[in-house]
Amino acid sequence: MMRSGRLSGVLPAALALWTLAASAETYYVAPSGSDTNSGSRSEPFRSIARARDAVRADGRPGNVILRAGIHYLHETLVLSAEDSGTTLAAEEDAKVVLSGGLELSLNWTPSKEGVLKAKTPAGTAFDQLFVNGQRQHMARYPNRDPDSNKPYSGCAADAFSPERAARWADPAGGYIHALHSAHWGGFHYRITGKKENNEVIYEGGWQNNRRMGMHQHDRMVENILEELDAPSEWYHDATTQTLYFFPPEGLDAKSARYEIARLDHLVEIKGTKEMPAREIVLKNIVFRHANRTFMKTMEPLLRSDWTIYRGGAVLIQNAEDCSLLDCEFDQLGGNGVFVNKHNRRIAVKGCYFHGIGASAVCFVGDPDSVRNPLFEYSQTQHYKDTDTQPGPKTDDYPSDCIVEDCLIHTVSVVEKQAAGVQVSMSKRITIRHCSVYDTGRAGINISEGTFGGHLIEFCDVFDTVRETGDHGSFNSWGRDRFWNLQGAPAEKLPDLALLDTEKTVIRNSRWRCDRGWDIDLDDGSSNYEIYNNLMLNGGLKLREGFHRTVYNNIAVNNGLHPHVWYPDSHDRVYNNIWLDAARPIRMPAGKWGIEVDRNLFVREEDREKNLNYLVDVNSIVGDPVFVDPATGDYRVEPQSPALKLGFKNFPMDRFGVRRPALKAIAKTPPLPVPEIPDDIKGGVRAEPPKTAEWMGATIRALEGQEYSAFGVAREDRGIHLVEVPQGSDAAKAGLKKDDLIQSINKHPVRTNADLAVATKHADKPFTVGYVRAPVCGCLLG
C-alpha cells in the first residue's frame, strides 16, 4: 500500500523505517511453524509469503520477523508496491538462512571405487550440490586444484578434444567453460552431443560482447559422468534420477546434510513505474542456494565487453528507498543483488558477499534510456546522425544508490566477465568503505560513461584479475556517443564527451592489481577526478577520453600509463608521487593534455624520460620519505620534497569495511617495499644525468667553468649540443655539434628543463639564439 510523504536520502529512510516498523503489526515466521497459525510470537507462520499476505491484509506496513533456521522457498518471494514500508528481518541474535534450495534425504550405496550413488526424487534437476553447507563441484576435467593459479582452478587444451571425448558415453548436458581468446572474460557452452568421430557438439558462447572465440588452452569441462574421479565431485543423472558423489576424506556421508539449488531468484522487490515498491527493508538475512545462470547471460551492455543476465538472488526493479542491511550472500550461483532499470536510492549496507558465481552487486539501466546506443565494440555512427542532447533519454536507470561497508570476496566463481560491483547505464552510484578481493576480473567495473556522477571512496580493492587479463582492480570504459565518432570535428570532441556523463570521483581508496593496472580507465573513459589514492602495484592507466584530473595519488613502484590520448584531451596530472617512469603508448611529445607536471619521482632517469615527451618539466626527484610502509602508512614525513610540490597527506587507516564483524574477517593487500635509490635516501635530490635528448640531438647544460670555453658570460650559460646526428630534427633546422643554445624566442634557457618548456609546442615555429664559434646567429625551428 502507499503512504503519504517521502523520506529523502537512503540512510535516513532506512533508519526511519526501522523505527516505524517497530510500532507496526509484527508477524513471526519459523521453519517449524504452520501457515494455519496466527503468526504471533507463540504461533508463528511457516512461510514468509503467508506473513507477507497477512501484512497486506492489515492495510499498513508491518514487520516480518524470521526465527532462526533455514527457510526453504518453494517459489521466489515477490514484494511489490503493495508491500511498501514492510521490514523483513531476522529475530535478534538469530541466524536466518533464506534458501532457494531443497534438502535431500539420500540412501547411499557403493558405486565405483570411492564413489557413492543414491536415488533422488522424481523430477529433480539441479546444477549445484551443497554438503554440510559447502558447495561441491561437478565431475570435471581437469580436476580442480584450489591452489592452482590457472583459470577455473585448472584448465587444459584437450578439455573436450576428440581423444578425451572418446571416453564419454554420452556427454550431452555437460558444460564447456573457457576464457576469451584475449583473456577478456569468459565463455560458456552446453554440450549437446558428439559426432561419430568424437568431435563434441555444443551451443552457447554469448557471455562476452566481444565474440572472438575461446582460448585454446584455458578451458575445462564439467558434468561428465566419466570424469567423476576426485573427492568432492558429483554427477546427477536426471534420466535415471541417480546422484553420484565422491565424498571428501573425513566426511560421514550418511549423516551429512545435502541441499540443492532450485531457484534463480530468492527475493524480488518489484513495483511498476506508476507505483514503485517503496521503503522495503531486508535485514540480517543469509541468502543461499540460488541457481547458476551463466547460460542466461546473453544481453550485451552497449559497447562494453559485457553481456549480462538481469537477475540475482535479490532482484530490485521499479523501487525507491529500499535497503538491504547486514545481510550475507553465500555461495550463490549467479549475481548477488541486481538493481535493474528504474530504481532510486537503493542501499546495500553492511553486507557480506562470498563465493558468488557472477557479480556481487549490479546496477544496470535500460539501453532505451541512452541516446544513440551502440552495442558491438566495432559499431560506429556519423556525427551528422548523432543526438547532441545531453543526458539520458528516459529515467529507466538506477540513480542515487549506494553500496557501503560491504565485504566482497571470491566472486566470479563461474562467470569471468563479472565484478564485485558492476555499474552500467546508471547515475550517481556511491561505493564506499567496501573491501573487494579475490575476483576473476575487476573489483569495481563501470561499463561506460552513461550516466556518471559516481563516487568511489575509502575502498580497499586487491587480488583482482586473477584469471583474466588486460584489466584493473578498478576498470572503466567510456565507449559513448563521442567514441570513434565518424566525421566529428576534432574541436567538438571534448564537449561531446560530456554529453553522457557527469563527473565521477575516485578518492581515498587503496588499490592493488598484480595482473594489470591498479586503476584502469580504458577506451574513452571521460570526466573523472582521481585523488588521494594509494596504488600498490599496477599504477594508473588513462586511455583516450577527456577531462581526467589526477592529483595527490601515490603509485608504489609504478606510475602513469598514458595510452593514445586525444591531442586535446583536457587531462591534468599533477602533484602525484610516482615511483616509476611513465609508460606511454602512442603518445606524441607535447600532446599530453593541459598539464602533466609537478610530480615527484625517485629516479632522475624516470623524470628525464618524461622530459623527452615535453612533460614533467617542473617535476622533481627525491625520496618521498614515507612514514612506515611496512605497516601500510605511506604518508610522507614533514621533510618530504613532495610537500613542496603541493602534495598533501591523506588517511591510510580508513580503507575498506568498518563494521566490526566484517573488519575482523576481511583480508588486506600485501604491502610492497618502496624501491628508493640509495643516492636520494632522506629526501636529497639525485644529481641529474649529464645529457638528455632534444630534437634528436644529445644536449647538456653547461656546468662549472665550462662557460669560459664557449666565450660566454657565467650568467648567460646555455645548452651545449654534444652530438647532432645527421638527419635529426636539430640538424634539419641547421644546428651543429658544439653549438650552444642560449635562448628560445629571445627567452633565456639555462637548463634542459628550460629548453623542454620553451619548445613544448613544437608544431609552432620558434627562434633559436645560439653561439657557434666564431660567430653567433639565430635559426627558425
Side-chain angles (χ1 to χ4, degrees):
M1 77 231 41
M2 307 296 293
R3 289 192 327 200
S4 61
R6 282 184 65 181
L7 293 167
S8 62
V10 174
L11 183 56
L15 293 177
L17 251 179
W18 189 242
T19 303
L20 170 69
S23 62
E25 190 69 39
T26 298
Y27 293 97
Y28 290 81
V29 180
S32 59
S34 171
D35 283 351
T36 61
N37 285 344
S38 65
S40 66
R41 183 188 295 270
S42 59
E43 292 186 340
F45 293 132
R46 180 167 186 175
S47 73
I48 302 172
R50 176 69 183 87
R52 174 203 61 193
D53 294 343
V55 173
R56 288 178 176 177
D58 289 337
R60 61 192 179 96
N63 288 330
V64 176
I65 305 299
L66 306 181
R67 292 272 175 82
I70 303 175
H71 296 253
Y72 292 105
L73 296 171
H74 298 292
E75 61 183 10
T76 300
L77 176 68
V78 179
L79 303 174
S80 67
E82 193 175 1
D83 304 298
S84 291
T86 294
T87 295
L88 179 66
E91 193 171 35
E92 188 174 0
D93 298 327
K95 181 171 183 179
V96 170
V97 175
L98 203 60
S99 168
L102 176 70
E103 184 174 4
L104 298 178
S105 178
L106 301 171
N107 182 23
W108 295 109
T109 59
S111 181
K112 63 179 183 178
E113 183 178 356
V115 177
L116 304 176
K117 64 180 180 179
K119 288 292 184 180
T120 57
T124 303
F126 55 95
D127 74 347
Q128 288 192 99
L129 174 68
F130 298 81
V131 179
N132 291 338
Q134 296 301 307
R135 179 164 45 203
Q136 308 300 295
H137 306 282
M138 281 183 168
R140 52 169 282 172
Y141 172 77
N143 287 334
R144 183 174 182 272
D145 178 4
D147 297 323
S148 170
N149 290 323
K150 295 180 179 180
Y152 305 106
S153 295
C155 50
D158 67 339
F160 57 97
S161 66
E163 294 77 16
R164 193 80 198 176
R167 306 174 54 192
W168 308 336
D170 181 9
Y175 296 107
I176 298 169
H177 305 278
L179 288 192
H180 187 282
S181 60
H183 278 189
W184 297 333
F187 295 108
H188 309 273
Y189 306 83
R190 181 186 293 109
I191 298 175
T192 58
K194 65 176 182 175
K195 300 178 182 178
E196 291 185 1
N197 64 355
N198 290 312
E199 182 181 337
V200 172
I201 307 170
Y202 50 86
E203 62 182 6
W206 43 68
Q207 296 84 2
N208 195 291
N209 200 27
R210 299 181 69 178
R211 300 187 189 180
M212 298 161 63
M214 69 177 80
H215 198 277
Q216 292 301 304
H217 180 271
D218 294 341
R219 49 176 69 176
M220 65 87 124
V221 294
E222 65 172 1
N223 205 32
I224 305 291
L225 177 59
E226 289 81 0
E227 301 297 351
L228 181 54
D229 58 1
S232 295
E233 288 189 348
W234 62 275
Y235 174 83
H236 183 239
D237 188 330
T239 303
T240 64
Q241 292 297 153
T242 304
L243 175 63
Y244 298 87
F245 179 50
F246 195 138
E249 185 177 354
L251 178 72
D252 183 350
K254 291 186 178 180
S255 64
R257 186 176 80 253
Y258 299 89
E259 296 166 296
I260 58 174
R262 298 185 306 117
L263 300 178
D264 291 350
H265 306 165
L266 307 189
V267 177
E268 294 181 355
I269 300 175
K270 295 182 71 173
T272 64
K273 288 289 295 295
E274 297 72 26
M275 294 187 64
R278 289 194 172 107
E279 299 174 350
I280 295 172
V281 176
L282 307 181
K283 182 177 174 65
N284 203 21
I285 297 169
V286 179
F287 296 91
R288 194 178 288 166
H289 306 146
N291 288 332
R292 304 191 302 178
T293 52
F294 58 87
M295 290 305 292
K296 298 179 180 181
T297 301
M298 58 179 64
E299 179 187 338
L301 287 182
L302 301 185
R303 287 190 284 184
S304 88
D305 294 1
W306 284 59
T307 65
I308 50 98
Y309 166 65
R310 292 183 182 269
V314 176
L315 172 65
I316 305 175
Q317 183 170 336
N318 289 323
E320 297 179 357
D321 299 298
C322 294
S323 303
L324 279 71
L325 307 177
D326 303 338
C327 293
E328 180 179 354
F329 294 79
D330 177 18
Q331 302 174 93
L332 302 169
N335 300 311
V337 177
F338 200 100
V339 183
N340 188 44
K341 298 186 179 180
H342 178 85
N343 286 278
R344 297 294 182 269
R345 299 173 301 280
I346 305 302
V348 182
K349 296 188 175 185
C351 293
Y352 179 27
F353 297 83
H354 58 101
I356 307 300
S359 296
V361 185
C362 298
F363 299 93
V364 182
D366 189 333
D368 287 341
S369 68
V370 179
R371 300 179 189 275
N372 299 121
L374 298 175
F375 294 92
E376 296 293 335
Y377 177 85
S378 59
Q379 275 187 298
T380 60
Q381 59 193 12
H382 199 277
Y383 176 63
K384 64 181 177 62
D385 300 320
T386 301
D387 182 346
T388 56
Q389 291 295 314
K393 187 166 58 176
T394 74
D395 63 357
D396 285 331
Y397 55 86
S399 182
D400 300 294
C401 302
I402 187 169
V403 182
E404 183 172 25
D405 205 9
C406 290
L407 174 56
I408 302 170
H409 71 81
T410 322
V411 300
S412 61
V413 171
V414 181
E415 301 182 43
K416 303 311 173 187
Q417 195 63 279
V421 182
Q422 158 70 350
V423 180
S424 174
M425 297 173 284
S426 301
K427 181 184 285 190
R428 294 192 296 268
I429 306 301
T430 295
I431 307 168
R432 175 185 295 140
H433 277 296
C434 290
S435 293
V436 185
Y437 54 89
D438 190 7
T439 69
R441 202 139 170 76
I444 298 173
N445 188 81
I446 297 179
S447 278
E448 69 289 308
T450 53
F451 298 102
H454 312 306
L455 173 61
I456 300 169
E457 62 180 356
F458 299 111
C459 290
D460 200 10
V461 187
F462 58 97
D463 199 15
T464 61
V465 198
R466 287 174 54 88
E467 299 176 77
T468 58
D470 193 11
H471 220 47
S473 286
F474 171 84
N475 181 82
S476 66
W477 292 290
R479 302 166 185 166
D480 306 315
R481 276 180 269 182
F482 78 92
W483 191 70
N484 285 346
L485 185 60
Q486 297 179 21
E491 66 275 11
K492 291 188 176 294
L493 286 176
D495 291 334
L496 292 171
L498 298 177
L499 291 177
D500 284 315
T501 181
E502 297 178 3
K503 180 178 289 184
T504 289
V505 175
I506 304 174
R507 66 187 180 193
N508 294 308
S509 294
R510 182 167 63 185
W511 309 88
R512 176 167 182 148
C513 185
D514 293 302
R515 285 175 50 86
W517 297 273
D518 296 334
I519 299 177
D520 179 5
L521 271 63
D522 207 358
D523 290 358
S525 299
S526 296
N527 207 10
Y528 277 77
E529 184 176 9
I530 302 173
Y531 66 95
N532 289 5
N533 292 281
L534 175 61
M535 293 171 275
L536 295 178
N537 189 72
L540 169 68
K541 171 185 162 188
L542 301 177
R543 179 183 172 95
E544 299 171 316
F546 293 93
H547 307 287
R548 281 86 57 98
T549 302
V550 178
Y551 61 96
N552 220 76
N553 302 283
I554 301 171
V556 182
N557 303 334
N558 212 309
L560 177 67
H561 296 251
H563 292 187
V564 291
W565 289 8
Y566 289 95
D568 191 18
S569 70
H570 290 233
D571 290 340
R572 299 181 66 213
V573 181
Y574 62 94
N575 287 5
N576 300 285
I577 298 176
W578 304 133
L579 269 66
D580 200 358
R583 301 180 188 178
I585 293 179
R586 291 165 52 196
M587 295 287 291
K591 303 293 185 181
W592 289 27
I594 294 175
E595 66 169 329
V596 177
D597 205 358
R598 293 177 284 127
N599 300 296
L600 177 68
F601 293 86
V602 297
R603 285 176 291 271
E604 183 66 34
E605 57 265 33
D606 293 343
R607 177 176 172 269
E608 288 286 342
K609 289 178 182 177
N610 284 11
L611 287 177
N612 292 331
Y613 289 92
L614 308 180
V615 295
D616 280 306
V617 295
N618 295 300
S619 296
I620 61 175
V621 176
D623 183 355
V625 199
F626 294 124
V627 172
D628 189 5
T631 63
D633 191 348
Y634 292 86
R635 292 177 301 161
V636 300
E637 297 280 11
Q639 70 270 29
S640 172
L643 299 175
K644 298 177 182 178
L645 289 170
F647 181 88
K648 297 180 181 179
N649 279 319
F650 55 92
M652 296 285 168
D653 57 356
R654 300 174 63 186
F655 306 126
V657 291
R658 296 177 295 175
R659 184 183 172 202
L662 298 179
K663 195 174 182 67
I665 60 175
K667 293 182 179 179
T668 56
L671 301 171
V673 177
E675 298 172 1
I676 310 294
D678 291 336
D679 61 352
I680 65 163
K681 289 289 179 64
V684 179
R685 181 187 174 111
E687 286 297 318
K690 299 298 183 183
T691 62
E693 183 179 331
W694 176 79
M695 292 183 65
T698 301
I699 63 173
R700 184 167 68 85
L702 294 188
E703 298 177 346
Q705 302 298 316
E706 291 178 338
Y707 68 92
S708 178
F710 286 86
V712 297
R714 178 194 297 270
E715 60 272 17
D716 292 336
R717 300 197 177 228
I719 305 298
H720 176 203
L721 273 62
V722 179
E723 295 289 344
V724 182
Q726 186 177 359
S728 67
D729 289 341
K732 292 176 182 177
L735 293 170
K736 298 181 179 181
K737 179 180 178 180
D738 292 328
D739 283 351
L740 183 72
I741 296 176
Q742 290 194 301
S743 67
I744 299 291
N745 292 336
K746 298 184 179 180
H747 294 288
V749 290
R750 297 183 176 88
T751 67
N752 294 346
D754 289 342
L755 183 60
V757 171
T759 59
K760 179 176 181 179
H761 300 290
D763 54 336
K764 299 179 181 179
F766 54 85
T767 300
V768 180
Y770 66 97
V771 170
R772 177 182 296 165
V775 296
C776 67
C778 65
L779 292 169
L780 291 177

